[in-house]
Amino acid sequence: MAQIGIFTTLNGPGSRALVTRVLAACRDGVIPGARVAFVLVNRALGESEVTDEAADDIAREFGADVARVSAVGFQPAARKAARAAAHSGDPAPLEKWREAWWASFRDRVPAADLDLCLGDLWIWSETQCAERRGVNLHPAMPGGPVGSLWYDVIWDLVEAQDHASGIMLHRVIPEVDRGPVVAWCQYGLRGEALQPMWDDLPQNPDELAALIARERDERGACRHPLFTAIRALGLARERPLTLETVRAVATGRLKLVRGGVLDADDRPLPRGLDLTVEVERAL
């Protein structure tokens, strides 16, 4: 039985939906051979009404072991000073704080074959990354834009005039979005539905650059038709990719080991496991 861990902030409906979908799939046998060992929420009771409500609903509906640890409540003065130091170019104090925070609750977290970061808003320490099998969603396929928030990734794709994109789950390392790819899927950015939106973009390079700059300023609130359409394509695939990755671990098709990813025959998967067929079938 594959043990699955979930790390989350339960900050909004997106992460809540992903968490409940994984819990339901494991509980109902949609993914045989997988069990959610724990859900760890990095907000203590009383820090967020949204998080408290979601955590209560999950515990009640699924009987899950929902652990609560506060990130903002752990050594807050040291964290504030460390963030100021990092802003000034010295990351060492912040890394020290992250290590101390992980050490404060690491013995409470059971071992797992796969740790899903589903809306986990805190960067892991180097030790936590090494000790756990954490994976995180990123709205691009291998070789695509990294190091950006999801809304900037979309405009990166538009700026590059890309014809395809995807989403991936990658290993969690201290450098955001830089970990080895675990699993991914691809989808097209053209075709009958999207091409008219591309055609409506300014053809003049300077005008296009100005439009992209304006829309970037809207961040996640952007309502440009092409932005919205590309976002919808990625969102539709986040849940099936997550579930199919859990299935691959449960069946032994995918193994997470220290520093990398292996297939069923223990061969390295340098680009991760392509689950495009499985994701499109699920859709």
Side-chain angles (χ1 to χ4, degrees):
M1 180 72 70
Q3 303 298 310
I4 310 300
I6 296 177
F7 289 78
T8 182
T9 307
L10 288 177
N11 189 51
S15 60
R16 181 174 179 170
L18 275 170
V19 170
T20 55
R21 184 62 66 91
V22 172
L23 284 162
C26 294
R27 179 197 63 187
D28 300 340
V30 174
I31 303 178
R35 170 184 174 271
V36 175
F38 65 89
V39 178
L40 190 139
V41 179
N42 50 37
R43 282 178 175 165
L45 184 65
E47 290 182 353
S48 164
E49 291 184 6
V50 171
T51 298
D52 290 347
E53 179 184 356
D56 289 345
D57 288 347
I58 287 169
R60 181 171 53 252
E61 181 177 355
F62 298 99
D65 177 15
V66 180
R68 307 287 295 268
V69 295
S70 176
V72 298
F74 179 75
Q75 299 180 358
R79 179 175 59 87
K80 182 178 180 180
R83 292 180 70 178
H87 186 71
S88 299
D90 180 10
L94 189 52
E95 178 57 27
K96 182 179 179 181
W97 179 89
R98 289 176 180 145
E99 291 286 0
W101 183 54
W102 169 239
S104 73
F105 65 91
R106 63 184 294 275
D107 292 338
R108 296 169 51 191
V109 186
D113 299 290
L114 172 68
D115 290 318
L116 295 170
C117 293
L118 304 179
D120 183 352
L121 301 183
W122 293 85
I123 295 174
W124 285 17
S125 72
E126 185 173 346
T127 300
Q128 185 176 3
C129 293
E131 292 179 347
R132 304 298 305 187
R133 296 181 173 92
V135 302
N136 191 39
L137 275 166
H138 181 66
M141 62 182 181
V146 297
S148 303
L149 293 170
W150 64 266
Y151 40 82
D152 277 323
V153 168
I154 294 175
W155 288 115
D156 289 344
L157 295 168
V158 174
E159 194 168 44
Q161 300 284 296
D162 282 335
H163 285 250
S165 186
I167 56 174
M168 64 178 171
L169 282 161
H170 59 83
R171 294 294 296 268
V172 177
I173 64 173
E175 295 76 31
V176 176
D177 299 336
R178 306 288 178 175
V181 178
V182 173
W184 59 283
C185 67
Q186 180 176 334
Y187 55 87
L189 293 178
R190 304 295 169 141
E192 183 177 346
L194 268 69
Q195 191 58 48
M197 301 179 197
W198 286 96
D199 294 340
D200 284 342
L201 293 174
Q203 299 303 304
N204 179 282
D206 292 337
E207 293 178 5
L208 177 60
L211 180 146
I212 291 174
R214 290 195 305 269
E215 299 295 346
R216 282 187 191 274
D217 288 341
E218 296 295 322
R219 301 163 67 90
C222 178
R223 293 294 179 267
H224 190 281
L226 183 57
F227 175 95
T228 302
I230 294 174
R231 174 62 171 162
L233 289 171
L235 278 176
R237 288 159 176 80
E238 285 186 356
R239 295 183 195 177
L241 178 66
T242 301
L243 294 178
E244 291 304 323
T245 301
V246 173
R247 189 189 310 278
V249 171
T251 59
R253 186 181 175 193
L254 189 62
K255 302 175 186 178
L256 277 66
V257 296
R258 183 162 184 152
V261 184
L262 305 178
D263 67 10
D265 297 318
D266 294 331
R267 295 174 300 197
L269 287 169
R271 280 179 52 85
L273 184 63
D274 182 358
L275 291 172
T276 300
V277 172
E278 290 82 352
V279 168
E280 295 303 311
R281 183 186 303 129
L283 289 174

